[in-house]
Amino acid sequence: MTVTIKYFGLVAEAAERFEEILELDGVLTASELKAQCLNGLAIADKESVQIAVNQNLDDKITLKDGDEVALLPPFAGG
Amino acid sequence: MDKKKPKKVFVQGAIPPEKIANSVANHQSKTEIGAHSIFLGQIRADEVEGKTVTAIDYTAYEEMAENVFHEIREAAFAKFDITCAHIYHSLGRVNVGELCLFVFTSSAHRKIAIEATNFFVEEIKAKVPVFGKEIFEDETHQWKVNK
């Protein structure tokens, strides 16, 4: 299956990309994909990064083909 | 009237002070309103280890953020008896002293408007995927986190 990953803020900076399309095998939850994407990135507090699947902030979701996934660092609006 | 229509919140760059005056002027014909409450977020020249913030560069997961802004509006209208509510948030670079957030609620009476504005600001800070890069005078940066 194919998912689109969007990177934001300090995650985009550490990953040196804003978006990529990933080919994934097998059954994977959002939290497993997050760990995989953040692995090796220079981010001090990986716990503070949230993952959204189709704009839904639930890391227990099982990914499916065509999902849009976003890796979101702490919010800083206002 | 236009109470629940989705509206675009993001504006490119700083929010001009004239926008606040114009918004107030646009509500003078709505004579059921007895109180407006306004919150303005301004970029502060924070000092971090001897360096001073000169600007914040805002980015967002825009599609999700617009949806969350809409949900916050819906929740606010369900919770408070407000006549109208407007939110504007900056994207891109906003210099210190400039405005990055404008929340404007109106109601028949002051308490409701004040509480609604406070609700909007707290919800926006907690729930909207907006990210801020604090830029120092030497062009180095750090990432802002809401407290």
Side-chain angles (χ1 to χ4, degrees):
Chain A
M1 68 178 160
T2 304
V3 300
T4 303
I5 321 255
K6 288 173 172 268
Y7 297 85
F8 292 93
L10 65 87
V11 186
E13 183 176 73
E16 298 180 321
R17 69 196 70 185
F18 290 105
E19 190 170 322
E20 69 183 327
I21 292 168
L22 278 191
E23 211 35 77
L24 302 172
D25 289 325
V27 179
L28 206 62
T29 65
S31 114
E32 288 164 340
L33 178 63
K34 177 183 133 180
Q36 205 171 300
C37 290
L38 297 184
N39 186 29
L41 297 186
I43 294 173
D45 183 9
K46 289 182 182 168
E47 284 294 306
S48 70
V49 176
Q50 298 189 85
I51 185 163
V53 180
N54 303 321
Q55 303 184 11
N56 189 344
L57 289 170
D58 177 359
D59 68 359
K60 290 174 189 68
I61 291 174
T62 301
L63 295 160
K64 54 184 191 334
D65 190 47
D67 279 345
E68 178 178 288
V69 175
L71 290 167
L72 308 171
F75 300 165
Chain B
M1 194 168 63
D2 58 350
K3 227 154 112 142
K4 288 184 177 172
K5 194 173 63 184
K7 291 182 182 175
K8 196 142 176 59
V9 170
F10 287 121
V11 295
Q12 205 56 44
I15 297 163
E18 296 74 27
K19 195 169 182 64
I20 289 92
N22 290 337
S23 294
V24 174
N26 288 341
H27 288 74
Q28 292 186 313
S29 59
K30 299 189 178 188
T31 49
E32 73 277 26
I33 293 171
H36 298 302
S37 172
I38 289 172
F39 175 85
L40 300 172
Q42 173 170 302
I43 307 297
R44 187 177 53 235
D46 266 348
E47 275 211 27
V48 184
E49 291 165 6
K51 293 194 287 187
T52 309
V53 171
T54 57
I56 295 183
D57 186 11
Y58 285 106
T59 52
Y61 183 9
E62 285 188 57
E63 303 86 342
M64 179 174 167
E66 291 284 0
N67 287 332
V68 177
F69 279 126
H70 181 64
E71 284 166 20
I72 294 170
R73 274 181 69 83
E74 298 274 294
F77 276 104
K79 203 171 155 71
F80 303 100
D81 189 13
I82 44 179
T83 315
C84 39
H86 303 270
I87 321 167
Y88 300 97
H89 197 295
S90 295
L91 282 183
R93 188 177 173 120
V94 186
N95 294 323
V96 291
E98 293 183 327
L99 302 175
C100 57
L101 175 62
F102 172 25
V103 175
F104 181 22
T105 70
S106 308
S107 180
H109 302 286
R110 70 187 183 285
K111 279 187 185 163
I112 293 165
I114 291 167
E115 281 172 22
T117 293
N118 195 41
F119 173 81
F120 270 108
V121 174
E122 295 304 322
E123 290 285 289
I124 289 166
K125 285 186 174 272
K127 294 185 178 168
V128 183
V130 171
F131 315 101
K133 187 155 92 171
E134 294 179 314
I135 300 163
F136 298 108
E137 65 255 83
D138 61 359
E139 290 299 315
T140 57
H141 69 266
Q142 71 170 17
W143 292 92
K144 176 178 179 256
V145 177
N146 279 347
K147 293 186 181 79

